Amino acid sequence: MAGLLSGNAGHAFLYPVFPPDFCAMKIAGFTIVRNAVLNDYPVVEAIESILPVVDEMVVSIGDGDDGTEELIRSINSSKLRIVHSVWDPTLRKGGEVLAIETNKAFQQISPDADWAFYIQADEVVPEQYHTAIRAAAERHVADKRVEGLLFKYLHFYGTFDYVGDSRRWYGHEVRIIRNDPTITSYKDAQGFRRNGEKLRVKPADGFVYHYGWVKNPQQMLQKMKHINQFWHGDKPAEEQPLATAQVFNFDDFDSLEKFTGTHPSVMQRRIARLNWQVDIDVTQKRFSLKNKVLYWIEKTTGKRLFEFKNYQLL
């Protein structure tokens, strides 16, 4: 059974209507965003992609003057709740400010929420996983050993036609966590920890599609220079990564493959506006001998050996 959700600019798409027994459990969504217009983040699509799963959606907007708040307010949903934050300009190393802002947003969700669904401004959850994700949250809500739910990832690169298929791209990450104040964002907000320890998790039975590397070459360069300030802001401008670059070079990959699936419905407007082309030869593989062997093992067996895991799978 499905209903209609009105999205940005009047766009409507189908979403599942969950049965009454789901209502006893509450999921609060949350995200952070700053300069979304300047950096062309698909944050509207990110938010719309989890609205059918969550009962409220907290959006923490950082200080800026590029029209980000107007963009967020264009989302037509009563679940939306906007809060404001001032980012600390002195935190310019290791992406620390992103974790701090994520924690501030997490603290804004309603206290009666059982789970918190974190989505980054360049991540989108395909609609075909909504029912399974909500069911996983319901299934584990009473088991307090389960501190989070783990998602599988696809990372797009260059255009909407290519995905990373090497160990350079993380294959899983935690995006639903308990509404527990002892859980905090880790390092540059990639994942979470509870009292400094990795979260104990179960599968969410869903994917996150990461579109952070899909932009035209000029826009990608602008975004990277902006983002680099949060990792290397302690260095002089001339020593910043990409300081002298005129355009972003999409040749910096070790392995990609063609995407043969279907993009989420909320992404269709953005895909239709694609106005650049990056031709990538996916037969090119740029591996060290060690990574070449590990890549072969993964493709042959489906197992990624010696992978760093930002979680403990129960």
Side-chain angles (χ1 to χ4, degrees):
M1 185 174 182
L4 282 175
L5 176 69
S6 296
N8 187 37
H11 179 76
F13 53 91
L14 288 172
Y15 71 98
V17 176
F18 297 105
D21 59 319
F22 279 94
C23 298
M25 177 193 65
K26 182 173 182 178
I27 303 177
F30 71 107
T31 191
I32 66 171
V33 64
R34 182 173 182 260
N35 293 327
V37 176
L38 177 66
N39 293 302
D40 194 30
Y41 290 126
V43 64
V44 168
E45 293 89 340
I47 293 168
E48 287 180 344
S49 79
I50 70 167
L51 275 176
V53 180
V54 302
D55 301 284
E56 70 169 359
M57 184 69 212
V58 174
V59 182
S60 178
I61 301 177
D63 50 314
D65 56 3
D66 70 341
T68 294
E69 181 162 352
E70 290 77 7
L71 178 68
I72 300 302
R73 289 193 181 280
S74 71
I75 300 171
N76 182 19
S77 173
S78 59
K79 297 179 180 180
L80 196 68
R81 179 157 58 88
I82 292 174
V83 298
H84 297 89
S85 179
V86 177
W87 291 31
D88 187 344
T90 67
L91 299 175
R92 303 175 69 84
K93 190 175 181 180
E96 179 185 8
V97 68
L98 302 178
I100 289 175
E101 291 301 323
T102 297
N103 288 333
K104 287 161 67 175
F106 180 31
Q107 293 162 8
Q108 292 286 338
I109 71 171
S110 296
D112 62 340
D114 299 287
W115 300 104
F117 196 154
Y118 177 55
I119 193 79
Q120 294 189 350
D122 54 12
E123 298 178 338
V124 174
V125 175
E127 62 273 11
Q128 64 265 32
Y129 301 109
H130 287 169
T131 300
I133 292 167
R134 183 97 191 184
E138 178 74 24
R139 186 163 58 250
H140 300 299
V141 69
D143 185 352
K144 300 305 181 182
R145 297 176 305 154
V146 182
E147 299 167 324
L149 300 179
L150 187 70
F151 286 76
K152 292 172 280 189
Y153 265 74
L154 275 184
H155 302 270
F156 291 83
Y157 188 82
T159 73
F160 301 101
D161 299 321
Y162 304 102
V163 292
D165 69 333
S166 71
R167 59 196 305 113
R168 172 187 288 191
W169 309 93
Y170 51 91
H172 300 81
E173 196 48 82
V174 178
R175 282 295 176 261
I176 292 181
I177 57 177
R178 289 277 180 191
N179 186 10
D180 180 341
T182 65
I183 296 177
T184 56
S185 186
Y186 180 66
K187 288 194 173 180
D188 62 353
Q190 179 177 330
F192 296 89
R193 291 286 192 272
R194 182 175 182 269
N195 294 325
E197 300 293 328
K198 293 180 181 180
L199 298 188
R200 298 172 297 177
V201 302
K202 287 282 192 177
D205 300 325
F207 267 88
V208 172
Y209 287 4
H210 176 219
Y211 293 100
W213 293 91
V214 180
K215 297 183 187 297
N216 72 58
Q218 291 76 22
Q219 186 76 50
M220 191 73 226
L221 179 64
Q222 176 178 292
K223 176 204 167 183
M224 291 306 297
K225 287 185 175 181
H226 176 76
I227 289 296
N228 281 337
Q229 298 173 20
F230 301 131
W231 273 263
H232 311 284
D234 56 333
K235 296 182 179 179
E238 63 274 11
E239 295 180 16
Q240 292 282 327
L242 303 173
T244 61
Q246 300 300 312
V247 67
F248 187 82
N249 183 359
F250 282 103
D251 288 338
D252 183 24
F253 66 89
D254 56 2
S255 179
L256 301 173
E257 64 182 10
K258 288 282 287 186
F259 176 64
T260 58
T262 302
H263 289 277
S265 60
V266 295
M267 287 295 294
Q268 296 305 316
R269 294 161 290 166
R270 181 173 287 266
I271 293 171
R273 297 198 304 266
L274 181 119
N275 61 359
W276 75 95
Q277 182 61 41
V278 177
D279 294 315
I280 296 176
D281 182 2
V282 297
T283 65
Q284 293 189 36
K285 307 297 177 184
R286 302 179 176 94
F287 291 125
S288 66
L289 178 59
K290 180 186 74 172
N291 285 334
K292 185 176 182 179
V293 172
L294 290 172
Y295 179 83
W296 180 85
I297 292 173
E298 181 177 345
K299 291 299 181 181
T300 303
T301 68
K303 297 180 179 179
R304 181 172 290 188
L305 302 182
F306 314 117
E307 179 186 21
F308 170 74
K309 295 180 179 178
N310 200 23
Y311 50 86
Q312 297 181 50
L313 190 61
L314 291 173

